[in-house]
């Protein structure tokens, strides 16, 4: 195994320290684990889905894992390299609220047109409900994906155009922070 494969170069380490909320030791540990689990240095969609299946064994996390994968895969190569993985993990686990909101908006904005439609929100929420299965007891006004999305849009869609802008999403998320905490696996759970 070459030197560049078994550990991060000093330049890579410095860049990641500057662009994430992880320190040098944490980055080295994450890299070691990533390379152990992904000897090729890349994680494909199927492998990523397997990780979610470990954390949600009683549900069907496949669709949600695909949506999260698409946000992690920043360069749209079809695989996640260590830099993409650790930068996304940094935002979702330790990022500032604004960063988490931007990340969550990217997740819900499936077609990447800068707005979240009712249908896009419904697709994500449906995938979350499938993933969590019966693990979570929900209030009656949120016990189906469509009821949950109806409630979200009632609270967030200020101009009633059936689309959420980033500003509407940010404002609405202040009233409902669970929107931002959508099924992302946290480092403490690994």
């Amino acid at each position: 195994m070459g030197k560049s494969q078994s550990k991060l170069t000093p330049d890579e380490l410095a860049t990641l320290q500057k662009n994430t909320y992880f320190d040098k030791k944490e980055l080295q540990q994450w890299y070691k684990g990533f390379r152990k689990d992904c000897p090729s240095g890349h994680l494909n969609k199927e492998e990523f889905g397997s990780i979610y299946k470990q954390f949600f064994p009683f549900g069907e996390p496949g669709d949600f894992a695909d949506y999260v994968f698409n946000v992690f895969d920043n360069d749209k190569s079809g695989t996640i390299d260590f830099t993409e993985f650790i930068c996304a993990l940094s935002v979702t686990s330790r990022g500032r609220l604004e960063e988490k909101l931007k990340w969550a908006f990217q997740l819900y904005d499936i077609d990447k047109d800068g707005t979240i439609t009712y249908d896009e929100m419904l697709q994500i929420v449906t995938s979350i409900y499938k993933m969590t299965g019966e693990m979570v007891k929900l209030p009656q006004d949120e016990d189906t994906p469509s009821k949950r999305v109806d409630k979200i849009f009632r609270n967030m869609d200020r101009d009633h155009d059936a689309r959420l802008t980033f500003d509407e999403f940010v404002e609405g998320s202040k009233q409902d922070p669970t929107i931002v905490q959508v099924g992302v696996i946290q480092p403490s759970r690994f």
Side-chain angles (χ1 to χ4, degrees):
M1 192 180 272
K3 198 171 196 165
S4 65
Q5 289 185 343
S6 60
K7 56 195 227 183
L8 293 165
T9 66
D11 284 348
E12 289 169 328
L13 203 48
T15 299
L16 290 173
Q17 280 180 271
K18 194 167 76 175
N19 294 316
T20 70
Y21 295 103
F22 295 110
D23 64 27
K24 181 180 178 180
K25 186 176 180 182
E26 290 171 319
L27 288 166
Q28 290 169 326
Q29 289 173 327
W30 275 107
Y31 186 73
K32 185 178 178 183
F34 186 86
R35 291 305 301 222
K36 182 176 178 248
D37 294 339
C38 309
S40 70
H42 296 276
L43 187 61
N44 66 34
K45 201 174 262 199
E46 187 179 315
E47 293 163 332
F48 191 78
S50 295
I51 293 169
Y52 266 81
K53 189 66 180 159
Q54 291 172 29
F55 288 95
F56 299 96
F58 302 109
E60 297 175 33
D63 291 343
F64 185 74
D66 285 352
Y67 293 126
V68 173
F69 180 91
N70 292 337
V71 181
F72 271 56
D73 183 15
N74 207 34
D75 66 2
K76 306 303 171 216
S77 66
T79 61
I80 299 169
D81 64 22
F82 180 71
T83 298
E84 290 170 318
F85 172 79
I86 203 69
C87 287
L89 195 63
S90 175
V91 168
T92 59
S93 66
R94 298 183 180 177
R96 296 183 319 273
L97 178 60
E98 304 81 42
E99 292 171 308
K100 289 180 180 185
L101 287 167
K102 182 180 177 204
W103 190 92
F105 188 84
Q106 290 175 321
L107 176 69
Y108 287 106
D109 181 16
I110 296 170
D111 67 5
K112 308 300 178 220
D113 70 350
T115 62
I116 300 169
T117 63
Y118 182 94
D119 187 54
E120 287 173 319
M121 179 71 73
L122 184 60
Q123 287 178 60
I124 298 292
V125 171
T126 299
S127 71
I128 292 168
Y129 279 46
K130 282 172 53 181
M131 176 175 68
T132 57
E134 300 294 315
M135 291 171 35
V136 180
K137 182 73 177 144
L138 298 165
Q140 189 174 357
D141 67 340
E142 296 182 10
D143 63 1
T144 68
S146 57
K147 285 182 184 178
R148 174 73 173 132
V149 175
D150 286 345
K151 185 176 178 181
I152 290 168
F153 267 75
R154 259 193 324 275
N155 295 332
M156 288 190 179
D157 189 13
R158 292 188 309 244
D159 59 5
H160 308 288
D161 65 350
R163 305 176 95 59
L164 299 178
T165 64
F166 183 68
D167 290 339
E168 287 173 320
F169 182 77
V170 168
E171 284 305 308
S173 295
K174 290 177 183 172
Q175 273 105 45
D176 186 355
T178 61
I179 296 293
V180 181
Q181 303 158 348
V182 286
V184 176
I185 298 170
Q186 299 298 324
S188 62
R189 296 181 62 189
F190 280 98

